[in-house]
């Protein structure tokens, strides 16, 4: 099944780097990143924080590495201090944007309506969302993760229903209790939850393309066994993606 699948690794740098550190990382590694992408045939998407997007876009212009944003505004333009418009992301050269990351959902109290608007703004400007879903620790313990994922997918479904053209959407399943904790669920558990995502998006598959990603404490060791999950086409990687050597090992673990 994986043989013909286009594989993806998304590097979510969060706010691990200052502006200068992000520039330094890209200066040092962009050539090797391109070689890695060529050698592995994995599509690599780098998501720096907003302050570094323009510069990194400039640096990546000579490469085929894709650029992603960590967030965008739900609004088209106007009096929204501190926000970043999908139009600007498109003009900068972003192809992807993370939406509904649990850290943003929590910090910004994002509602389904806000998420819907963000996805709509991205589609209007020809960007693809990397839409994040995942259950909390207590939902995992109370075995309500399936219900939670179905609820979280609803805003995405509502937007897709209204699209006339075909869209590409990455869905990153990231159990919240796995993000940054080093705790990773068994493949059996994850496979079951990816099954729910597949089932939920099945009615939209004729028109749209989906890329399923796993996220949550992916490292160079667990990536090998996580890659065995049949539904996934790659990983959304936080902390480990800030270290080029670890990122390289994760990318290479998606082979075969
Ligand atoms: C994330 O927050 O998107 C993530 C996957 O983080 P980490 O890999 O650090 O757990």
């Amino acid at each position: 099944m994986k043989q013909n699948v286009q594989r993806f690794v998304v590097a979510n740098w969060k706010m691990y780097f200052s502006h200068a550190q992000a520039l330094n990382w890209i200066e040092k590694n962009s050539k090797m990143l391109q070689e890695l992408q060529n050698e592995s045939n994995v599509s690599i998407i780098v998501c720096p924080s907003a302050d570094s997007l323009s510069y990194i876009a400039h640096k990546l212009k000579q490469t085929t590495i894709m650029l992603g944003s960590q967030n965008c505004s739900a609004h088209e333009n106007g009096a929204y201090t501190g926000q970043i418009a999908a139009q600007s992301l498109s003009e900068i050269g972003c192809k992807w944007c993370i939406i509904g990351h649990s850290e943003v959902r929590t910090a910004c109290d994002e509602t389904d309506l806000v998420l819907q608007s963000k996805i709509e703004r991205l589609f209007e400007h020809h960007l693809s969302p990397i839409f994040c879903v995942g259950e909390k620790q207590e939902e995992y313990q109370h075995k309500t993760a399936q219900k939670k994922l179905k609820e979280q997918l609803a805003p995405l479904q509502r937007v897709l229903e209204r699209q006339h053209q075909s869209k590409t959407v990455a869905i990153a399943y990231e159990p919240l209790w796995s993000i940054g904790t080093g705790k990773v669920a068994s493949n059996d558990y994850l496979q079951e939850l990816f099954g729910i995502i597949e089932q939920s998006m099945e009615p939209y598959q004729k028109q749209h393309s989906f890329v399923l990603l796993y996220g949550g404490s992916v490292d160079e060791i667990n990536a090998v066994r996580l890659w065995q999950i049949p539904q996934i086409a790659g990983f959304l990687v936080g902390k480990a993606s800030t270290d080029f050597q670890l990122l390289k090992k994760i990318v290479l673990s998606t082979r075969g």
Side-chain angles (χ1 to χ4, degrees), residues 12 14 16 101 103 174 178-180 215-218 236-239:
N12 176 13
K14 309 193 183 194
Y16 284 121
H101 191 284
E103 287 155 10
E174 307 197 290
S178 283
I179 295 178
S217 292
V218 175
L236 173 52
V237 189
K239 182 73 178 153

Side-chain angles (χ1 to χ4, degrees), residues 61-127:
K61 239 190 179 126
Q62 323 304 329
T63 75
T64 54
I65 305 294
M66 289 186 283
L67 186 68
S69 172
Q70 296 178 13
N71 199 2
C72 79
S73 174
H75 304 282
E76 181 57 24
N77 55 39
Y80 301 104
T81 305
Q83 299 202 29
I84 181 160
Q87 181 176 352
S88 303
L89 297 179
S90 166
E91 289 168 0
I92 287 170
C94 291
K95 296 278 177 264
W96 298 85
C97 180
I98 298 172
I99 294 292
H101 191 284
S102 59
E103 287 155 10
V104 182
R105 283 181 192 255
T106 309
C108 304
D109 258 336
E110 281 183 324
T111 61
D112 279 2
L113 224 56
V114 167
L115 293 170
Q116 258 174 248
S117 301
K118 288 186 175 191
I119 299 166
E120 277 163 356
R121 297 292 84 73
L122 292 178
F123 285 159
E124 280 160 16
H125 294 284
H126 311 290
L127 276 92

Side-chain angles (χ1 to χ4, degrees), residues 11-81:
N12 176 13
W13 285 355
K14 309 193 183 194
M15 205 179 69
Y16 284 121
F17 291 140
S18 71
H19 180 58
Q21 287 166 340
L23 307 195
N24 191 35
W25 194 102
I26 212 76
E27 291 280 354
K28 202 168 131 205
N29 298 313
S30 63
K31 195 164 167 274
M32 289 191 293
L33 208 56
Q34 177 70 71
E35 286 164 4
L36 174 62
Q37 179 166 271
N38 293 348
E39 171 195 350
S40 62
N41 203 22
V42 172
S43 296
I44 300 172
I45 303 170
V46 177
C47 302
S49 52
D51 51 287
S52 308
L53 276 173
S54 277
Y55 183 89
I56 291 183
H58 177 70
K59 277 282 149 194
L60 293 181
K61 239 190 179 126
Q62 323 304 329
T63 75
T64 54
I65 305 294
M66 289 186 283
L67 186 68
S69 172
Q70 296 178 13
N71 199 2
C72 79
S73 174
H75 304 282
E76 181 57 24
N77 55 39
Y80 301 104
T81 305

